[in-house]
Amino acid sequence: MDWQSLTFQVMNGLVWSIFVALVALGLNAIYGLLGILNIAHGAIYAAGAIFAWYAVDFVGNFWLAFLIVPLLVAAASIPVYKAILRHTIGKDMMVGLLATSGLLFILTDAQLALFGGAPRTISPPIGGSIALLGFYYPLYRFVAAAIAAAILVAFWAFLRFTSMGVWIRSVEQSATLAMACGVPVERVYLTIVALSAYFAALAGVLAAPMTIVHYQMGMPLLGAAFIVIVVGGLGNLGGAVVAAAIIGVGRGVLSVFITPTYAEVAAIALALPILVLRPHGLFGGRS
Amino acid sequence: MRDGRFDLIFTLAVLVVMLAAGFVLGEFWTGFLARCVTWMLLAVSFTIAYAYANVPSVAQATLFGVGAYTTLWLAEPTGGNLVLLLLAGCVAGFVAALLLGALVLKMSRNGASIATIIVAVMGVLLGNASTALTGGADGRGLPKVDFHIFGLPVEAGPNGTTLVLGTVILAALLLGLWLVSQTHTWRVVRAVQQNAMRAQVLGYAAGPYRLVVFGASGAVAGLGGSLYAVVSQHVTTDIASLFMSLKAIMWAAVGGIASVFGGPLGVLLVQVATEVLSRWTYRSDFFVGVILVLIALWLPNGLMGLLGHPGIFRRGSKDAPKRGHVAAAASQPLTKPSEDAL
């Protein structure tokens, strides 16, 4: 067995899982609070990567894109929430699924019109690599993963220690009771939609130098994000992170022994026994 | 007519008009509508899974793909016997749905929906990896054999024969579903769909009922896939993709998801609109997206809602009261019992 390859793939799996967790975080929050399965979430991730490419191409500064693009995308999500999403809350899940499917079509086609169908790349803003257990790993991947992990921790702290975090947790348990207690439920919904868009766009910006930028790049990640949400337990943020790590590392380890495609299938298949034994996911108590 | 007779007659009338239009408008539209009929079966299969088995399945296209590939693989061994091929597609879809159902029916409604996403993603990945069997994203062609039904030759491809064949099968299916809906068994199915626990307490085996209904939805999807293989003469893994399943949901929702008659209408409206729009603009997907959003906001019961079908969107989901819309939540007393409470 080639231990260097194995360690390299485990590292890749961990980095990948942090990005999936970041995307799943927003998806999970919107599901947990608004009850909407947001099919358009992957298109927001792609929008982040595409705008990052434009920022690098025109301004030549990746870190400017890192600061500005997620904020712009989050701001754009506010009118979308007010005009569309808020009218689907509390209705049958199919209404939300239909509305977000429509948004997916709109966003994907707009991105195709703007960006074109050809895949493009962005050079990593931080070059070089660091020696680790006998192999060299790209430094930018470490930095990007560290930033994404810091965002996850910051969000946890936001939920735990701020009044808005308390409101979010109370609305997640019961919007009706929360409102009766004076919680501004509408503001909580708006905040969570904006934060969700911010996280997805940020993941897109950070992932852009590590992958190929394409207008449909969000769809595979959306599938992965849904998987980690259900395996981690619907509405459970920590569970999603653990599930992403299991699948990401599993995929990395398996890819040493079998082809990458079969490794991906096998890693996803790891989720199925978990779902059979625990239908509500690893950490899911809710139904 | 509350027994759905009007919906059935209206849908059959639409199918007759579609058939006539296919022949009047020329070769292109004949082939186009022949493909649409196969998608109508896919849309109907989603409605059965969603409205009667209570599983918002995002893997119906996977079952559609199972039917299509079964037909592709068995075309030569069966000597092009279309009855056997369509039956095989049906059975393959049914068996695949039973296996999937055994996993997802234990879960909550939304959990089941996401689990079907997992299966859909895995299905396409496996299909793309098994290029020797499926041809991957490039696909495989239907073997050149002489297709026949009880000895009568049938020309495969997007043509008038397959349009008539597909339309007759769809009409027979809709008629059969309407007849079944008049039976006592169907009332039990509806009772299980509305509240499985209540039905269980009343002595009905809710689990097996849901499993069989979900299996039936797979059989319809498999039949559609089988017919698709004959019409298109080429099958790729794209037809089993998550995107295709989302399209099936979209068609069913546009037509009206509370009724099996809605799916065919939804396919016709969306696909014809897309085709017409694509002649005027490259951005047809954009406009389809706008239509979907508008329908979600202002016509949530779909086209069948316009015909006075009661629909199911007017009631919230089981979980709705606890994370409901602000206005809806405000208007409800805190002690209001759940609609589904025993």
Side-chain angles (χ1 to χ4, degrees):
Chain A
M1 185 186 293
D2 184 354
W3 288 104
Q4 282 187 357
S5 297
L6 188 65
T7 317
F8 186 85
Q9 292 299 344
V10 168
M11 281 305 304
N12 265 345
L14 279 173
V15 169
W16 179 84
S17 63
I18 290 171
F19 283 99
V20 173
L22 196 56
V23 173
L25 182 68
L27 205 58
N28 213 349
I30 287 203
Y31 171 75
L33 270 83
L34 283 71
I36 297 172
L37 288 175
N38 183 11
I39 295 290
H41 202 65
I44 302 172
Y45 166 80
I50 286 171
F51 287 130
W53 184 88
Y54 276 112
V56 172
D57 197 48
F58 291 123
V59 187
N61 190 332
F62 174 83
W63 297 110
L64 190 66
F66 169 75
L67 290 175
I68 302 292
V69 169
L71 288 175
L72 287 177
V73 173
S77 72
I78 293 172
V80 172
Y81 167 76
K82 291 199 167 177
I84 300 170
L85 295 180
R86 75 189 291 266
H87 301 291
T88 70
I89 301 170
K91 293 185 179 166
D92 191 281
M93 67 167 287
M94 286 304 303
V95 177
L97 203 60
L98 192 62
T100 55
S101 296
L103 285 174
L104 170 69
F105 274 86
I106 292 170
L107 289 174
T108 306
D109 206 48
Q111 284 162 7
L112 174 64
L114 178 76
F115 191 65
R120 303 176 204 192
T121 54
I122 297 177
S123 300
I126 300 173
S129 51
I130 55 172
L132 185 80
L133 301 171
F135 66 91
Y136 288 92
Y137 198 77
L139 181 59
Y140 173 73
R141 291 189 184 198
F142 266 126
V143 173
I147 292 171
I151 296 285
L152 289 173
V153 173
F155 185 67
W156 172 82
F158 171 74
L159 284 180
R160 189 77 183 80
F161 301 115
T162 66
S163 54
M164 177 55 85
V166 174
W167 290 347
I168 288 173
R169 285 186 286 141
S170 64
V171 171
E172 194 268 341
Q173 290 191 7
S174 169
T176 311
L177 276 176
M179 190 161 44
C181 296
V183 173
V185 176
E186 186 71 29
R187 206 193 320 164
V188 168
Y189 285 156
L190 189 61
T191 304
I192 216 69
V193 168
L195 276 176
S196 169
Y198 181 89
F199 292 145
L202 186 72
V205 172
L206 286 173
M210 297 190 288
T211 184
I212 290 169
V213 181
H214 187 253
Y215 77 102
Q216 283 184 321
M217 65 187 283
M219 280 308 274
L221 199 76
L222 182 73
F226 271 125
I227 290 165
V228 302
I229 285 174
V230 78
V231 173
L234 289 170
N236 190 311
L237 303 182
V241 175
V242 175
I246 290 172
I247 295 174
V249 173
R251 187 179 73 155
V253 171
L254 288 166
S255 66
V256 177
F257 304 100
I258 49 180
T259 63
T261 311
Y262 280 115
E264 192 158 1
V265 174
I268 294 170
L270 283 175
L272 291 177
I274 295 173
L275 289 178
V276 171
L277 296 171
R278 294 186 62 84
H280 300 299
L282 281 175
F283 302 94
R286 302 178 39 184
S287 60
Chain B
M1 282 178 278
R2 286 188 173 184
D3 61 357
R5 198 173 301 176
F6 175 76
D7 295 353
L8 171 71
I9 294 170
F10 179 77
T11 311
L12 292 181
V14 169
L15 290 182
V16 170
V17 172
M18 180 195 77
L19 200 58
F23 285 100
V24 170
L25 294 174
E27 197 179 338
F28 170 80
W29 286 99
T30 310
F32 173 82
L33 292 171
R35 278 201 184 87
C36 282
V37 171
T38 68
W39 294 328
M40 287 176 186
L41 288 163
L42 176 59
V44 169
S45 85
F46 176 78
T47 305
I48 296 172
Y50 176 75
Y52 304 116
N54 230 0
V55 179
S57 169
V58 194
Q60 290 309 105
T62 308
L63 305 172
F64 185 81
V66 167
Y69 275 108
T70 302
T71 301
L72 208 69
W73 296 326
L74 295 181
E76 274 179 350
T78 58
N81 186 330
L82 264 183
V83 176
L84 281 181
L85 286 172
L86 294 176
L87 200 62
C90 226
V91 171
F94 181 73
V95 173
L98 285 185
L99 293 173
L100 178 59
L103 173 71
V104 302
L105 289 178
K106 292 178 187 170
M107 300 176 179
S108 67
R109 197 154 162 266
N110 290 348
S113 178
I114 301 178
T116 58
I117 294 176
I118 297 179
V119 172
V121 171
M122 269 180 63
V124 171
L125 286 171
L126 266 178
N128 283 336
S130 315
T131 42
L133 279 174
T134 63
D138 294 332
R140 274 182 66 174
L142 189 70
K144 300 282 179 200
V145 292
D146 297 324
F147 291 97
H148 60 88
I149 295 177
F150 301 123
L152 284 172
V154 173
E155 187 191 349
N159 54 47
T161 313
T162 50
L163 173 61
V164 172
L165 177 69
T167 309
V168 168
I169 289 173
L170 178 63
L173 175 75
L174 292 177
L175 184 62
L177 285 171
W178 180 77
L179 288 173
V180 170
S181 73
Q182 308 301 310
T183 62
H184 171 75
T185 309
W186 194 252
R187 279 193 206 130
V188 179
V189 167
R190 292 309 307 265
V192 169
Q193 179 265 324
Q194 284 171 15
N195 189 324
M197 193 186 289
R198 186 165 53 201
Q200 190 87 37
V201 171
L202 289 171
Y204 296 107
Y209 268 104
R210 285 182 72 198
L211 189 60
V212 170
V213 173
F214 189 64
S217 83
V220 175
L223 177 66
S226 187
L227 202 58
Y228 176 87
V230 176
V231 172
S232 290
Q233 298 175 285
H234 190 88
V235 179
T236 70
T237 50
D238 278 351
I239 63 154
S241 65
L242 189 66
F243 209 66
M244 194 70 190
S245 282
L246 290 178
K247 275 191 167 181
I249 295 172
M250 171 186 82
W251 292 325
V254 168
I257 211 151
S259 164
V260 289
F261 306 114
L265 300 182
V267 171
L268 212 52
L269 179 77
V270 173
Q271 290 311 113
V272 170
T274 307
E275 182 58 37
V276 172
L277 277 172
S278 67
R279 296 177 181 214
W280 295 88
T281 171
Y282 290 119
R283 303 271 74 88
S284 59
D285 275 358
F286 183 90
F287 290 107
V288 168
V290 172
I291 291 170
L292 287 180
V293 170
L294 294 178
I295 285 176
L297 296 181
W298 284 298
L299 199 59
N301 291 319
L303 294 175
M304 296 307 286
L306 291 176
L307 298 178
H309 197 286
I312 53 176
F313 282 154
R314 282 177 193 142
R315 67 168 170 80
S317 67
K318 278 184 182 176
D319 301 334
K322 67 180 176 186
R323 45 174 155 70
H325 189 279
V326 176
S331 67
Q332 289 177 0
L334 292 176
T335 52
K336 184 187 175 192
S338 163
E339 176 189 0
D340 293 328
L342 280 168

